Amino acid sequence: MLVMAVGCKSPEAAPKAVKNAAGERVVELKVTENGFEPTPVTVKKGEPLVLKVTRTTDKTCATEILISDTEINVPLPLNQPVEVRYTPNKSGQIRYGCAMGMMVAGVLVVE
Ligand SMILES: [Cu+2]
């Protein structure tokens, strides 16, 4: 008997790189009392990213996200996911974090 697997999209088979309909890699980040989580996150050079950032606490000074070497500076309202679009164009570590010298920070590792 021939069994055909017809476009099975099992949620268990979650790929580690989640892409949206536009082919952008979606990276979900949270700002908690411990800072940005998870960090570090490994991404690919030239891969369009959507950082979906949700601040879940008021006990943080990271009420916005800045990405080093970019103009990106986006407010993070409490409990509201904010999408930040960014395509890393060189490999290495990219820091992002709060407006106060990235005292609260995370890292993207670009391969
Ligand atoms: Cu800060």
Side-chain angles (χ1 to χ4, degrees):
M1 181 179 161
L2 186 69
V3 178
M4 291 178 70
V6 184
C8 174
K9 284 183 190 165
S10 153
E12 289 84 48
K16 48 184 179 190
V18 181
K19 299 216 175 180
N20 64 13
E24 298 161 315
R25 162 100 180 265
V26 180
V27 177
E28 296 207 17
L29 300 173
K30 281 194 167 61
V31 179
T32 72
E33 290 179 38
N34 300 321
F36 287 90
E37 294 180 328
T39 182
V41 173
T42 301
V43 298
K44 288 202 188 89
K45 181 179 162 184
E47 179 177 54
L49 301 177
V50 179
L51 306 178
K52 201 169 170 186
V53 191
T54 311
R55 177 167 66 89
T56 60
T57 180
D58 267 329
K59 292 182 182 169
T60 180
C61 73
T63 52
E64 65 278 286
I65 180 171
L66 279 69
I67 300 180
S68 58
D69 300 329
T70 74
E71 301 289 302
I72 294 169
N73 180 348
V74 181
L76 300 173
L78 185 65
N79 293 325
Q80 251 176 268
V82 172
E83 294 192 344
V84 180
R85 286 186 158 70
Y86 170 63
T87 304
N89 53 21
K90 60 175 187 196
S91 51
Q93 295 203 347
I94 293 174
R95 267 168 71 83
Y96 59 86
C98 74
M100 283 188 334
M102 301 196 181
M103 199 178 65
V104 176
V107 170
L108 295 172
V109 179
V110 186
E111 316 193 301

